[in-house]
Structure formats: C-alpha cells, structure tokens
C-alpha cells in the first residue's frame, strides 16, 4: 500500500509551495510552458507525492472502467425498421407499435473506428435481428451456432453497424491461451529521461531509450473498459480450460487478472460492454463430421449464455436474394444456384455426400461464374466441387450438368 504524504513541492520561479507545477504555471505564469520549465530546471520535481498518487488512482479508476465512467445516456431510441432499413411494419411489438432499439451517439474517434461498416447488400433475417437486439438491449450473453457460412458473424457485425456499437472480433483457435484474452507482461523499449553527471560533476537530463516491462491489456479487458461488443468468434475451437476465463464475465461480474499490476487487477464492465460468441457446434461436439478442430466444451460454461440460437440455412427466397445482391447476378440464376445447394444439402443429410455448400460458397460460385461469362459449372467446380472427394464431386457434377447444362 502506498503512503500518501501532504508535502508540497517548490516552484523554482517564485518559491510557491504547490502540488502540481503544471497547474501552478497555468494560473500564475501563463507565459511559461511546462516544457520551458522542464528545460530551465531539469532536476526540479513536477508533481508532489500526493498529486502522483491522485493521478495513479485516476488512471486505475479509468482502467477499471468503473460503472458509470461514461454516462448510460449515450444512446438514443429509434424504430428498428428505420435503423435496419426494413419495411415500415416489419418489426412491431404485440401492441402494433414499432419496436425501438438503442443507437449509440456521441462516439469518439477511437470508438467510431471500431463500428463496422454497413453492408448495403446485407439482407436481414428479421427474427435473427430481433434475437440479436434483445441480447444487446438486455445485456444477455448470446451464442450463435450452426453450419459454416450461414451468416453468424456477419449478423452480429451488421447489427452493430446499424446500432453504431463498437465491435471487437476475437478469433479462437486450439492455440488460444488465457494470456491472449486477458493480457500479459511485455517488454518494450521507450524513451525516458535519465540524469547523468558530466566530467565536472554537473547533472544533465538526457533522453535515452530504456527497456521497460509493462502489462499489456488483452482484448477482453479492453472491451470491458471501453464498452465494446466483444465477439468471441469460433468459440468452440478454443480449449475448455481457456474459455473458463470468460465465466465471471458471462455472469456480468468483474474480471480479476491476478498477475496484473494493481491498477489492472480488477476490471469492471462498462455499462455498454456486451458479450457475443459464435461457433459451428453448440458445445457438445461436432455431430456432422465437418468441423475438425472444434472441441467438446464445458457445459457449465455454455450454461452462462442466456440466449443460444442455431443459425440455419436461410429460406431459399432469402438466400437467393443474398447471393444475387452480393455477387451481382440475376435473381433467377441465384434461385437456381440455391436450388442446387439445397439438393446437395439434402444429399448430405441423407448421408450420401460428405460436405455442404454454404451461402458464403454460393456467393463465391456466383462471382466465379460471372467472370466466366455466366458459366455456372465452372463457377461451381472452382467455388465448391473441387474440394469434395472424387465420388461426391462426380455425383454433384451430374446434378450441376442437369441444372446448368
Ligand atoms: N443475411 C445476409 N445478407 C447478405 N450476405 C450474407 C448474409 N448472411 C451471410 N452472408 C454472406 O455470407 C458470408 C458468410 O457469412 P458469415 O461469415 O457471417 O458466416 P458464418 O456463419 O460466421 O460462417 P463461419 O461458421 O464459417 O464462421 C458473408 O461473407 C456474407 O457476405
Ligand atoms: Mg463466422
């Protein structure tokens, strides 16, 4: 524990006893800048012990994101249909009035840089948007899972883009460690003032590069302090002993980083902090054989997600609208591609083939076909079929031949 003394320091210009030279100069010697003072009196102190302690406490409070450090009123309520560019009656409550959502306002430049860009070609699945909005409004951790390329990550990104919430996406892999999430000590080289005596015994202040060890906060405490939406992407790729670090945070409690310096040891969630996650499985293991590298997760960890939703392939008409809008192909052709995809998905479900095409792949197939003068068979081969086993490829190529000639 530090001991705070009340002892003041002396201003070398007028002998006044003060706690902060900077404040004293501003009030009593406005013509002298802090830099001028430093140059003129290189060895004179600039802050009293008490002032240093107060500065340290203020920094610690900021780092701990003390609830209310940013007012809770930094958002405005707007109709959901307007924010998401949907038809007027697309999202009404049970009384027939438009559902309202919170849209962040007064963001600073750093926060704005983290708000995802709006994708004008994005097609919102209204039910999924409502689920995402409920999770964000109620501050309930949400986990979206399902087949690859069904739009789990992008629905979160686009919901944040529309509601202007700063978004931090963190990928998980088998190599993700606790320190990648909460932070760690790093060694840095940075300029620092050092005092040296010359041959005549006169003291000089020089700027030299010094190696310092300091604690660098990881993305989770950063999001908690700054009030970001933390997206734990590919959550089920991480090892369960690593994801256990999230448990208190999923309960809305502070994060305790036991090895960090005192100012970073307890990180409290900012009122705007939110936790969302995605995965290809729901934590009980891969039931499809498609998702090598996912791990069976700890059920107690998953039980802390208040909202869990399976994101399935979209209705054909919506999926075709997406493929058409994202790749710039005519609707009719996109519908045919989706019909092909659904045939392949049925074959997969019946255990006849070993892989499925996702919306992401269909968009790539359509783009490939477009640059090949509308040749969907080449597009399909390059964007999907060439990744399949020879027998699966042969079977689906025949379907493609019948549909696309
Ligand atoms: N509703 C949508 N409107 C427009 N494009 C979409 C939509 N859903 C998905 N996409 C497109 O499909 C692609 C895949 O989406 P996304 O990356 O969100 O899938 P995912 O479910 O997170 O996949 P993975 O499990 O592989 O991480 C995106 O690049 C996006 O262009
Ligand atoms: Mg994803």
């Amino acid at each position: 524990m530090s001991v705070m003394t009340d002892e003041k320091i002396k201003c070398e210009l007028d002998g006044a006893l003060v706690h902060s030279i900077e404040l004293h100069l501003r009030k009593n010697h406005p013509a002298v800048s802090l830099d001028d003072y430093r140059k003129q009196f290189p060895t004179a102190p600039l802050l009293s012990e008490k002032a240093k302690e107060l500065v340290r406490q203020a920094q610690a409070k900021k780092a701990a994101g003390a609830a209310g450090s940013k007012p809770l009123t930094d958002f405005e309520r707007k109709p959901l249909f307007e924010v998401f560019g949907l038809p007027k009656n697309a999202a009404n409550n049970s009384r027939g009035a438009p559902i309202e959502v919170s849209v962040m306002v007064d963001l600073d430049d750093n926060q704005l840089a983290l708000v995802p860009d709006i994708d004008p070609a994005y097609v919102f699945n209204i039910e999924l948007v409502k689920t995402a909005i409920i999770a964000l409004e109620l501050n309930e951790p949400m986990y979206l899972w399902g087949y690859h390329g069904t739009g789990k990550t992008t629905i979160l990104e686009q919901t944040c883009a529309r509601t202007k919430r700063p978004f931090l996406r963190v990928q998980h892999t088998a190599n993700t460690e606790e320190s990648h999430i909460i932070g760690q000590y790093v060694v840095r080289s940075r300029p620092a003032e050092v005092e040296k005596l010359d041959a005549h015994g006169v003291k000089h202040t020089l700027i030299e590069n010094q190696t310092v060890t300091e604690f660098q906060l990881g993305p989770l405490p950063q999001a908690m302090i700054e009030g970001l939406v933390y997206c734990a992407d590919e959550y089920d790729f991480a090892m369960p002993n690593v994801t256990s670090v999230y448990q208190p945070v999923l309960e809305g409690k502070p994060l305790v980083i036991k090895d960090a310096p005192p100012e970073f040891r307890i990180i409290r969630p900012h009122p705007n902090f939110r936790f969302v996650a995605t995965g290809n499985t729901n934590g009980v293991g891969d039931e499809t054989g498609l998702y090598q590298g996912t791990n069976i997760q700890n059920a107690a960890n998953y039980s802390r997600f208040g909202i869990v939703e399976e994101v399935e392939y979209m209705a054909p008409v919506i999926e075709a609208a997406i493929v058409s809008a994202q790749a710039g192909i005519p609707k009719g052709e996109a519908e045919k591609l989706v019909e092909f995809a659904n045939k392949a998905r049925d074959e997969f479900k019946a255990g006849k083939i070993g892989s499925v095409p996702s919306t992401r792949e269909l968009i790539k197939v359509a783009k490939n076909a477009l640059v090949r003068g509308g040749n969907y068979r080449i597009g399909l081969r390059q964007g999907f079929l060439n990744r399949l086993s020879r027998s699966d490829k042969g079977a689906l190529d025949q379907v493609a031949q019948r549909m696309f000639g």
Side-chain angles (χ1 to χ4, degrees):
M1 210 176 77
S2 54
V3 181
M4 212 194 278
T5 74
D6 247 355
E7 220 168 282
K8 293 183 176 171
I9 53 170
K10 194 172 81 181
C11 167
E12 300 293 335
L13 293 173
D14 60 7
L17 292 177
V18 297
H19 281 298
S20 161
I21 293 293
E22 190 176 4
L23 294 181
H24 177 71
L25 290 179
R26 227 182 278 160
K27 209 167 154 200
N28 298 292
H29 312 281
V32 185
S33 73
L34 190 64
D35 262 0
D36 296 338
Y37 185 89
R38 228 189 238 134
K39 276 183 203 138
Q40 212 177 329
F41 311 107
T43 55
L46 301 177
L47 285 173
S48 70
E49 285 309 308
K50 182 177 179 177
K52 279 185 199 163
E53 179 63 16
L54 290 175
V55 168
R56 200 194 66 75
Q57 282 176 6
Q59 279 168 348
K61 203 170 162 201
K62 193 168 167 232
S69 63
K70 200 157 191 255
L72 261 173
T73 48
D74 51 359
F75 59 83
E76 57 187 32
R77 303 283 290 166
K78 285 189 167 176
L80 189 152
F81 77 85
E82 196 181 298
V83 173
F84 286 81
L86 302 172
K88 198 158 185 205
N89 291 321
N92 288 346
N93 61 23
S94 53
R95 294 183 306 280
I99 296 175
E100 292 200 327
V101 292
S102 308
V103 177
M104 298 295 133
V105 293
D106 295 334
L107 297 179
D108 62 31
D109 288 349
N110 292 337
Q111 293 167 322
L112 269 178
L114 289 173
V115 176
D117 292 334
I118 289 179
D119 177 356
Y122 202 78
V123 181
F124 286 104
N125 167 341
I126 295 176
E127 286 313 310
L128 201 52
V129 168
K130 282 189 198 162
T131 303
I133 289 295
I134 288 169
L136 294 175
E137 296 283 339
L138 299 186
N139 192 6
E140 198 58 73
M142 176 170 69
Y143 182 75
L144 298 181
W145 70 282
Y147 283 110
H148 60 286
T150 50
K152 299 178 294 294
T153 307
T154 45
I155 185 67
L156 299 171
E157 266 173 12
Q158 287 305 304
T159 301
C160 289
R162 297 280 176 164
T163 55
K164 304 254 178 300
R165 286 184 188 263
F167 181 81
L168 191 63
R169 173 178 168 182
V170 178
Q171 299 307 123
H172 292 71
T173 70
N175 295 326
T176 300
E177 291 170 15
E178 215 179 288
S179 61
H180 300 152
I181 296 166
I182 59 176
Q184 57 197 318
Y185 281 94
V186 291
V187 178
R188 276 188 207 288
S189 169
R190 69 161 181 223
E193 283 184 5
V194 280
E195 287 177 351
K196 292 243 162 109
L197 294 179
D198 65 15
H200 309 287
V202 180
K203 216 186 261 177
H204 295 277
T205 305
L206 305 172
I207 306 288
E208 274 186 4
N209 269 342
Q210 276 192 344
T211 304
V212 289
T213 304
E214 59 185 28
F215 193 81
Q216 189 178 54
L217 286 175
L220 178 64
Q222 185 202 339
M224 293 177 74
I225 291 167
E226 293 173 21
L228 315 178
V229 175
Y230 183 86
C231 175
D233 217 18
E234 321 287 4
Y235 196 75
D236 51 357
F237 268 99
M239 304 305 281
N241 60 325
V242 172
T243 49
S244 66
V245 72
Y246 289 123
Q247 279 177 208
V249 178
L250 287 169
E251 292 166 16
K253 304 220 171 90
L255 172 72
V256 179
I257 311 178
K258 53 184 188 311
D259 296 326
E263 64 270 31
F264 293 142
R265 210 160 282 163
I266 298 178
I267 309 282
R268 290 174 213 287
H270 184 288
N272 293 345
F273 168 70
R274 297 290 182 272
F275 195 102
V276 291
T278 76
N280 291 124
T281 73
N282 64 351
V284 300
D286 176 21
E287 294 173 313
T288 64
L290 293 172
Y291 303 114
Q292 288 294 311
T294 54
N295 292 294
I296 295 178
Q297 297 291 322
N298 181 299
N301 183 293
Y302 269 54
S303 72
R304 285 165 167 82
F305 286 97
I307 297 178
V308 177
E309 190 71 50
E310 182 177 3
V311 182
E312 304 202 58
Y313 291 117
M314 292 154 252
V317 56
I318 299 178
E319 194 170 10
I322 291 171
V323 175
S324 162
Q326 295 279 7
I329 62 165
K331 270 243 166 77
E333 290 173 20
E335 279 164 9
K336 241 165 121 185
L337 269 185
V338 171
E339 194 187 327
F340 170 89
N342 283 331
K343 281 191 175 136
R345 289 165 189 165
D346 288 344
E347 297 277 292
F348 176 77
K349 278 188 195 136
K352 292 186 188 155
I353 59 168
S355 190
V356 272
S358 66
T359 310
R360 180 192 290 127
E361 283 150 315
L362 292 189
I363 294 167
K364 292 203 169 113
V365 165
K367 285 182 177 166
N368 289 347
L370 204 59
V371 293
R372 296 291 192 146
N375 188 330
Y376 284 91
R377 286 198 60 204
I378 297 186
L380 274 169
R381 275 194 210 132
Q382 294 182 338
F384 174 56
L385 297 175
N386 286 347
R387 283 192 294 100
L388 305 185
S389 70
R390 282 187 199 285
S391 61
D392 288 358
K393 180 181 166 181
L396 287 182
D397 206 22
Q398 280 180 17
V399 178
Q401 190 183 8
R402 281 199 296 279
M403 291 184 69
F404 299 102

